[in-house]
Amino acid sequence: MALKAERIRKRFGNGDAAKEVLGGLSVSVGKGEFVSIVGPSGSGKTTLFKIIGGLEPPTEGEVWIGGKKTTGERGHISYVPQQSALLPWRTVAGNIELSLTISGLDRRTAKRETKEWLARIGLGEYADAYPHVLSGGMTQRVSFLRALLAPQPLMLLDEPFGALDALTRLQMQQWLTSIWEESRRSVLLVTHSIEEALYLSDRVIVLSASPAAVLEEFAVPFPRPRREALWTEPAFNAMKQRIYELLRQP
């Protein structure tokens, strides 16, 4: 099992002013599994990511990554944020190489892998460019590649396409599925888009409003590789409607 987050509770503040954000929820990601979490705004999805990544301690509960208890420990996940967070003073290749060397790769291997993968994702000609010349979709490709090449067994994707326009977002979803099919890394995605969750995932976890609890989990039955026409199929839209109804619950 790549991830087990068990009975996670998180309260902020003390006494009458305390606010419980996570209400004892449990989530898991199998080896090579792509899982998405959807929930209302303010339901604690980002807080859950911080706890899994060791940036925030849970009030109660445990986190296990790769069979090891990692509660409160950093360095066990790779992370793709909403904004790419590339260093503007380093080239595209330099950003990826820095991430890999920090993760423990020697510089020569980091350079070789960076060059090879930038070519594979169609950005080889931008290796020596700086982030400000890239489009939003290109920037997120680099951000995703940086996480993909990191040695950690689990990737957390926090609304990575949320800032993109609709067409670019769809193109990035298709691109992500094609790259993920090659690597089959364990992935946990947070998204507000039900369509995105169903299109990308093996399983979708639906959270309640804060304090967040798991309302229901859906095994996504559609075969891979996913087809663009999937969006129009009755079974796809029936699952989308069911999840939408759950999210509307008070």
Side-chain angles (χ1 to χ4, degrees):
M1 186 67 68
L3 168 70
K4 287 175 64 178
E6 299 184 313
R7 304 177 303 279
I8 302 296
R9 292 187 180 275
K10 182 62 181 180
R11 288 186 294 272
F12 292 99
N14 298 299
D16 294 339
K19 177 177 176 58
E20 188 168 57
V21 176
L22 301 176
L25 60 85
S26 297
V27 300
S28 65
V29 180
K31 186 177 181 180
E33 187 180 26
F34 198 125
V35 178
S36 288
I37 294 175
V38 296
S41 295
S43 59
K45 300 183 294 296
T46 298
T47 299
L48 177 62
F49 264 25
K50 289 181 179 179
I51 290 172
I52 293 171
L55 299 176
E56 188 78 48
T59 305
E60 298 177 20
E62 296 180 344
V63 177
W64 294 72
I65 296 176
K68 176 186 175 184
K69 185 177 178 181
T70 60
T71 313
E73 296 181 5
R74 304 184 185 187
H76 297 283
I77 59 100
S78 58
Y79 178 67
V80 180
Q82 296 180 24
Q83 303 296 332
S84 66
L86 299 179
L87 299 175
W89 59 87
R90 296 187 72 97
T91 63
V92 168
N95 268 279
I96 298 172
E97 291 167 12
L98 177 63
S99 176
L100 296 182
T101 53
I102 289 174
S103 297
L105 267 68
D106 64 87
R107 293 185 64 184
R108 180 176 296 180
T109 302
K111 282 182 175 292
R112 185 186 71 248
E113 291 200 6
T114 296
K115 182 179 180 180
E116 290 175 358
W117 272 93
L118 282 174
R120 288 178 69 176
I121 67 171
L123 292 177
E125 63 185 286
Y126 292 94
D128 296 325
Y130 288 87
H132 73 273
V133 307
L134 303 181
S135 68
M138 289 177 178
T139 302
Q140 283 303 85
R141 286 191 194 190
V142 175
S143 185
F144 180 80
L145 180 58
R146 184 172 57 180
L148 180 68
L149 294 181
Q152 291 86 354
L154 177 67
M155 295 177 63
L156 303 185
L157 311 183
D158 188 1
E159 283 278 355
F161 309 139
L164 304 178
D165 63 81
L167 179 59
T168 304
R169 182 169 186 153
L170 177 58
Q171 292 170 340
M172 286 298 299
Q173 290 166 1
Q174 294 167 341
W175 175 83
L176 174 56
T177 57
S178 67
I179 293 295
W180 180 82
E181 288 284 350
E182 295 183 30
S183 65
R184 291 284 177 155
R185 292 284 294 279
S186 301
V187 176
L188 184 61
L189 166 73
V190 160
T191 178
H192 284 99
S193 170
I194 301 172
E195 295 94 338
E196 183 170 270
L198 290 174
Y199 182 72
L200 294 174
S201 306
D202 299 308
R203 190 158 45 91
V204 177
I205 299 171
V206 183
L207 298 187
S208 69
S210 181
V214 175
L215 291 176
E216 196 166 337
E217 294 189 14
F218 293 83
V220 180
F222 312 114
R224 295 186 183 275
R226 300 276 161 82
R227 299 175 296 107
E228 186 175 347
L230 180 64
W231 300 70
T232 64
E233 293 185 8
F236 182 93
N237 285 290
M239 291 191 75
K240 172 185 169 182
Q241 183 63 29
R242 173 59 181 150
I243 293 172
Y244 176 68
E245 290 170 356
L246 284 171
L247 292 176
R248 290 185 62 192
Q249 294 180 8

